[in-house]
Amino acid sequence: MAQRTASAWPDADLTSCGLPTPGTDLANLPTACVVGAITAAKNGHCFLDWQLFQFALSLHSRVCASTSDLVATQKSLIDAEAQTTLELQMSLESTEYAAEALLADALDARDRLPRVYATMRLGLIDRDRFHRIAHETRLVVDEALMRQIDALIAAEITGAQRGYTWISVAKTGALARRLVAENDPDAVRREREGAKDGRSLGHQTLEAGMAQLFLTATAEDVRLARQMLDAVIAGRCPADPRTKTQARSDAAIALLQRKPFTCACDSDGCTAAISDVELDARAARIVVHVLCDATTLEGGDKCGYLDGHGPISAEHVREIAARGDAVIHRHRLDDLLAPNPASASGAAERPDEAALHRRAPRSDTPDERRGDGSRPEAGNDGRPAVVIAKTALPSDPYRPNLLTDLIARFLWGTCSIPGCERAAFSCDLDHVAEFDNVRPDLGGPTCVCNLLPKCRYHHLVKTNLEGFVDDLWIDEAGRYHSSVTTPLGQTVEVLAPNQWLIPRLADLRCTHQLVGERATGTAGGTVEDAPRRARTRTAAKHARRRAERKANRERRLAEHSDPAPEPEPAVDTVDEDDDEPPF
């Protein structure tokens, strides 16, 4: 039997990679060194993923070389891939499925996505992100198109074009899905048709008399169903002991069984409002938002964006638009524009559309189509003749108008805090630089340059966590950036991931951008001002343990007619003659 050897990693000196010397007491390291070490470990993880692919490909090459007639074995159940999978399974001490998935990703890295694969070596993406990209591009069969999409995705990741400095797994998949839809609509269409055929409903038996019901349907229907369940449980009173997840489960079963959903507080003074009238009023406000170019509805191939899901194909957009419950609103960016008072031509009467805009020639490359569309003319002094200025409601300068609200949410798609995937229309719309209700002209403006979607939790973090800094700015190319700086000094910057939805926005300027303003927000309160928990995390953990122990004890007592007495907990006593304390 082969002797297992201990890993050499714990004693390896990786200081050149940014990690501390083995045996270093981390408590004595400065915070910046710890943060840097975490980043170095992340980069190392990406590099090792890249190296693992190399080793898997090397094994595959060796198996192919050892096969006398490779063509003849391609239809065998034990082909080269199966043999390599066996070798990987043994080396990784993993399942056949895990080894097979590793080999599939490695082969995609070599044959289909070599440029994206190269970004793994740089520490920009890990295997999870690569796997999402490989999954989203698997239906692209044209080799030339595949090379083009590979180059575009790699360029976005590395930041060469409207790039990203931080991109989550979900947004990585959305990026690949969008580029496939833009460059090979047929691939998305085939996937869409196959996916619709796969809609289903099933269940799985769980332990302790429970079971799980799972439903597969179109993204918009699932989004509507989820919002409907949220509308049902919104009527609970504050004393209802169920979590939101538990309440949604009860609400779904009640709706399916056509039974009323009731509050579970068991209080005589219950304030629950779950009547049919209340529910109908909440259901009437349920909306699933989709944004698309006008040409898409007319038969074009530009993909759209479904809130809470991500990019969807042009065909999918038209399917949603054709629904009987769909309402289509058409918006124009011109509705936000006003003459630029700083321009020599700004004081003049606004010219007609032909004089105000010109259409740039359509580029042959997808990379340059961002500028396709009307562009504002410059004034006589070189300054833009019109600027983004009509962004707030005339009756309330704190509230954005509808078009500004839509742009601010769709630009970011989700909560703007890196790593949070809460859908934008389920978030608050936050003034990055605080709005001054007394002197609006002195506070942060209600403008696309100062509005970011934030989920309720991260809105509280931004407001109450001292040292948390929130930034939003627009660069010279018209790209929207945001960043957050944590109390320990970490700064993470991202570009608005969905600016491709509104390409003309990059050519427009707001009055605040022209004077070089940058929106910066800091905590105005303290952690003590934030909402309070009913109990501490530790207390909640102990309560769960006590409840589980109590349930186990009751079950044991019920199963044994003559149970053994429960042992009393040991109690430390102190001898009066003992000088040593009991600790």
Side-chain angles (χ1 to χ4, degrees), residues 63 73-84:
V63 169
T73 61
Q74 286 181 346
K75 290 188 176 182
S76 171
L77 290 176
I78 314 175
D79 58 7
E81 280 72 18
Q83 295 178 52
T84 308

Side-chain angles (χ1 to χ4, degrees), residues 6 8 63 138 140 255 361 403 424 439 533:
V63 169
R138 72 187 185 277
V140 180
L255 289 174
L403 184 52
R439 289 287 305 275
R533 298 177 183 272

Side-chain angles (χ1 to χ4, degrees), residues 7-22:
S7 171
W9 282 99
D11 299 322
D13 187 356
L14 300 175
T15 53
S16 62
C17 300
L19 295 177
T21 305

Side-chain angles (χ1 to χ4, degrees), residues 190-210:
R190 288 195 299 270
E191 181 185 42
R192 172 82 179 141
E193 292 169 353
K196 287 177 63 178
D197 291 341
R199 62 189 184 276
S200 63
L201 186 143
H203 73 280
Q204 178 181 357
T205 302
L206 303 177
E207 296 179 354
M210 301 294 288

Side-chain angles (χ1 to χ4, degrees), residues 22 38 51 91 146 196 200 203 222 258 269 320 330-331 394 407-408 534 574:
I38 293 173
Q51 192 74 69
S91 302
M146 190 64 245
K196 287 177 63 178
S200 63
H203 73 280
V222 170
R258 297 186 177 183
I320 295 176
R330 296 181 182 270
H331 302 279
I407 291 174
V574 181

Side-chain angles (χ1 to χ4, degrees), residues 423-504:
F425 280 88
S426 299
C427 294
D428 301 332
L429 202 54
D430 173 47
H431 285 73
V432 178
E434 187 176 0
F435 183 85
D436 192 324
N437 288 283
V438 179
R439 289 287 305 275
D441 56 314
L442 299 180
T446 300
C447 181
V448 289
C449 71
N450 191 45
L451 293 172
L452 285 177
K454 288 187 178 68
C455 68
R456 185 60 52 85
Y457 170 72
H458 284 120
H459 197 170
L460 291 172
V461 169
K462 178 265 177 103
T463 303
N464 299 105
L465 185 59
E466 187 176 358
F468 187 94
V469 181
D470 194 22
D471 272 331
L472 171 61
W473 70 97
I474 307 167
D475 65 20
E476 294 180 354
R479 299 178 299 184
Y480 285 67
H481 300 247
S482 75
S483 72
V484 296
T485 301
T486 67
L488 290 182
Q490 293 193 74
T491 298
V492 179
E493 177 186 329
V494 296
L495 277 165
N498 293 334
Q499 196 159 349
W500 60 271
L501 284 166
I502 319 168
R504 188 182 161 215

Side-chain angles (χ1 to χ4, degrees), residues 210 233 236 240-253 261 264:
M210 301 294 288
I233 69 173
R236 300 178 300 153
D240 192 308
R242 293 171 293 189
T243 65
K244 282 188 174 182
T245 302
Q246 293 170 340
R248 287 191 192 102
S249 173
D250 293 345
I253 294 300
F261 174 78

